């Protein structure tokens, strides 16, 4: 086989990886370079006309704006909650349930972290939960490792399904579906498979977390394994509702509803003594801590943004409204979803190329419910005008940085998808997929989640990983004769595993706990868990696929 063209076609993604991993460039700088490389290769090597390159780029930008609206709304609510005191009230209402550090880790890192992932995503869970643990007295290094490992199982669904809904959007014009199946149904099928795989494996993440914590603290897994019933209970109460929501409702709600269901169940159970450890466990005395555990911020220092004091019930109210509105607008029985689709914005047949992209603003959860609830929070929490303005400004600043990377990634992928025809060659991603299928065959089930993990490791986002590799995964699955929905589910699951070690998240969380410079140590500790999770997911799907033929 001639390997020159597949290698050339893959160069844009390789360039992004080298710049981000080798030269530590942020995604907002590396992604535009990859985008320009894709355009140059498509123009020179694939002889794609300028008009078609422009049309593909515009379609990518339209899709990116749809995703960015969700990100904006999710981050805006979080910023308002921080300044209103709502986030502080939520966290402290949970941290007082038990003094056992193992139980606190399950509540804050696992359950609260999963809630933050479902509500906001994009690196928020570790960046919020880790400082909270440090403020409670956890060694900063251990807090960072725990929250990164915990921020995994919910990541495939992210902020109201962005990794599935937005990450696989480039497949809309690629996938071949029966006339009776809508693309939303196709995404629902992917989400259902993701929920099942995470139920099978993610249930054990809390136990792995606690084992890692006691191993780091005292050199033994024994104290962590002692509470295995409680750790598995913490896993089950989240992964079960997450899977059921993914199966029966939509891929936008599993992480958010799963955590909103799991948190009260677990807190009530522990407060009543259910599976609660008989002996409380704590870290060694402070004078015995290795110097590597702490940096510029000491354990016990409150590094959260407290804000004014409000009740826990009032603090939770905005997110409960978000969950309720999402249910009403996503469950077909309420007959609201169809009305939300009446308004659409887009461009069919861009520049006469046949390329098009359409978005539905009212169906976008960034507008309803996120921005809608964000407008209610100042009244619900009686916020000062200055705090409201600061929250909007901070959100705008954060979204500006994210938009460059996201737009560049989508434009790059849309160019690589629409690079066929002019030179007689197949599209760039099809060429790569054929080469991958020739080499791997059925073993692509094992490789697929590793590709997803690599994408997140490079880009810092499961969404961007799905954007970069979703079409490649689909095409490779087709060329290899595999079941494409499980292959795409493995891409999303692998992306979640890669979230434990992605450069972006590691740097962000270490910054919040004062340990910049310890990135290598954290990645090494979490890499075994991340790679193991991805490989087990691939092996599980491969075995099931062989059993059902």
């Amino acid at each position: 086989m001639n390997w020159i063209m597949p290698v050339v076609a893959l160069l844009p993604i390789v360039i992004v990886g080298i710049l981000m991993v080798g030269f530590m460039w942020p995604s907002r700088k590396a992604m535009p370079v990859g985008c320009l490389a894709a355009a140059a290769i498509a123009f020179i090597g694939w002889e794609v006309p300028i008009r078609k390159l422009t049309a593909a780029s515009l379609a990518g930008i339209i899709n990116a704006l749809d995703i960015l609206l969700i990100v904006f709304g999710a981050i805006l609510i979080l910023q308002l909650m921080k300044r209103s005191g709502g986030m502080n009230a939520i966290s402290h209402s949970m941290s007082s349930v038990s003094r056992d550090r193992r139980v606190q880790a399950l509540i804050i890192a696992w359950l609260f972290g999963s809630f933050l992932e479902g509500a906001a995503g994009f690196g928020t869970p570790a960046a919020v939960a880790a400082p909270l643990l440090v403020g409670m007295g956890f060694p900063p290094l251990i807090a960072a490792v725990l929250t990164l490992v915990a921020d995994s199982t919910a990541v495939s669904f992210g902020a109201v399904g962005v990794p599935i809904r937005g990450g696989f959007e480039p497949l809309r014009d690629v996938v071949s579906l029966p006339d009776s199946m809508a693309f939303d149904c196709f995404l629902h099928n992917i989400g259902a498979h993701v929920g099942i795989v995470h139920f099978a494996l993610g249930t054990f993440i809390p136990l792995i977390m606690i084992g890692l914590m006691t191993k780091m603290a005292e050199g033994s897994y024994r104290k962590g394994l002692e509470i295995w019933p409680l750790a598995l209970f913490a896993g089950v109460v989240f992964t079960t509702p997450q899977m059921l929501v993914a199966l029966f409702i939509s891929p936008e709600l599993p992480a958010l509803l799963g955590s909103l269901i799991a948190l009260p169940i677990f807190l009530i159970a522990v407060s009543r003594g259910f599976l609660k450890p008989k002996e409380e466990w704590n870290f060694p005395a402070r004078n015995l801590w290795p110097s590597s555990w702490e940096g510029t911020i000491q354990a016990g220092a409150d590094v959260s943004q407290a804000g004014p004091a409000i009740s826990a019930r009032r603090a939770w109210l905005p997110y409960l409204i978000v969950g309720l509105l999402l249910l009403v607008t996503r469950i077909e029985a309420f007959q609201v979803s169809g009305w939300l689709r009446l308004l659409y914005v887009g461009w069919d047949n861009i520049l006469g190329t046949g390329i098009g992209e359409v978005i539905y603003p009212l169906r976008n959860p960034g507008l309803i419910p996120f921005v809608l609830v964000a407008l209610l929070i100042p009244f619900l929490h009686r916020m000062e005008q200055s705090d409201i303005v600061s929250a909007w400004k901070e959100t705008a600043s954060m979204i500006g940085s994210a938009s460059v990377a996201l737009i560049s990634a989508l434009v790059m992928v849309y160019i690589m998808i629409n690079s066929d025809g002019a030179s007689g060659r197949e599209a760039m991603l099809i060429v790569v997929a054929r080469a991958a299928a020739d080499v791997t065959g059925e073993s692509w089930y094992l490789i697929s989640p590793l590709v997803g993990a690599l994408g997140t490791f490079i880009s810092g986002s499961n969404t961007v990983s799905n954007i970069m590799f979703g079409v490649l995964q689909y095409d490779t699955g087709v060329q290899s004769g595999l079941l494409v929905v499980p292959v795409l589910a493995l891409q999303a699951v692998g992306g979640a595993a890669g979230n434990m070690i992605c450069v972006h998240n590691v740097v962000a969380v270490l910054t919040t706990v004062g340990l910049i410079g310890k990135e290598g140590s954290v990645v090494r500790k979490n890499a075994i868990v991340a790679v193991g999770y991805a490989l087990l997911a691939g092996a599980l799907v491969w075995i099931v696929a062989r059993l059902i033929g």
Side-chain angles (χ1 to χ4, degrees), residues 17-184:
I18 292 173
L19 291 177
M20 293 193 67
V21 178
F23 294 90
M24 298 300 291
W25 280 26
S27 58
R28 68 178 183 275
K29 292 184 178 180
M31 284 296 176
V33 176
C35 179
L36 290 174
I41 292 169
F43 180 70
I44 298 170
W46 268 253
E47 301 174 13
V48 180
I50 294 293
R51 176 181 290 187
K52 191 172 184 181
L53 287 175
T54 304
S57 301
L58 290 172
I61 291 170
I62 293 171
N63 188 7
L65 293 176
D66 194 34
I67 299 171
L68 285 169
L69 181 56
I70 304 174
V71 180
F72 177 84
I75 294 176
L76 177 60
I77 287 182
L78 181 67
Q79 293 299 325
L80 288 167
M81 291 286 288
K82 282 183 176 180
R83 285 162 176 79
S84 72
M87 196 55 62
N88 190 59
I90 288 172
S91 60
H92 282 286
S93 69
M94 295 181 295
S95 61
S96 59
V97 172
S98 173
R99 291 184 299 178
D100 189 303
R101 299 301 192 184
R102 298 167 297 184
V103 178
Q104 290 175 345
L106 293 174
I107 295 171
I108 302 300
W110 170 246
L111 293 173
F112 186 48
S114 296
F115 163 73
L116 290 170
E117 183 62 45
F122 292 89
T124 297
V128 173
L132 178 59
L133 288 175
V134 172
M136 293 166 60
F138 279 64
L141 182 64
I142 293 179
V145 169
L146 286 179
T147 51
L148 286 166
V149 171
D151 189 21
S152 51
T153 304
V155 168
S156 294
F157 298 105
V160 289
V162 171
I164 304 273
R165 185 179 184 274
F168 290 126
E169 178 62 27
L171 285 165
R172 184 180 293 273
D173 298 323
V174 176
V175 64
S176 298
L177 297 175
D179 293 337
S180 60
M181 179 181 285
F183 186 70
D184 282 355

Side-chain angles (χ1 to χ4, degrees), residues 139 142 211-220 281-284 290 293:
I142 293 179
L212 276 175
M213 181 174 72
T214 60
K215 175 67 175 177
M216 291 177 67
E218 54 187 29
S220 171
W281 180 85
N282 204 343
F283 298 106
W293 281 12

Side-chain angles (χ1 to χ4, degrees), residues 187-223:
L187 294 182
H188 190 165
N189 287 344
I190 296 172
H193 281 72
V194 170
I196 293 170
V197 175
H198 277 316
F199 170 76
L201 301 178
T203 299
F204 298 94
I205 286 291
L207 182 60
I208 293 170
M209 279 171 44
I210 303 304
L212 276 175
M213 181 174 72
T214 60
K215 175 67 175 177
M216 291 177 67
E218 54 187 29
S220 171
Y221 296 107
R222 186 172 64 85
K223 287 294 182 180

Side-chain angles (χ1 to χ4, degrees), residues 44 101 393 405 450 461 536:
I44 298 170
R101 299 301 192 184
K393 286 182 176 179
L450 294 176
S461 165
L536 284 172

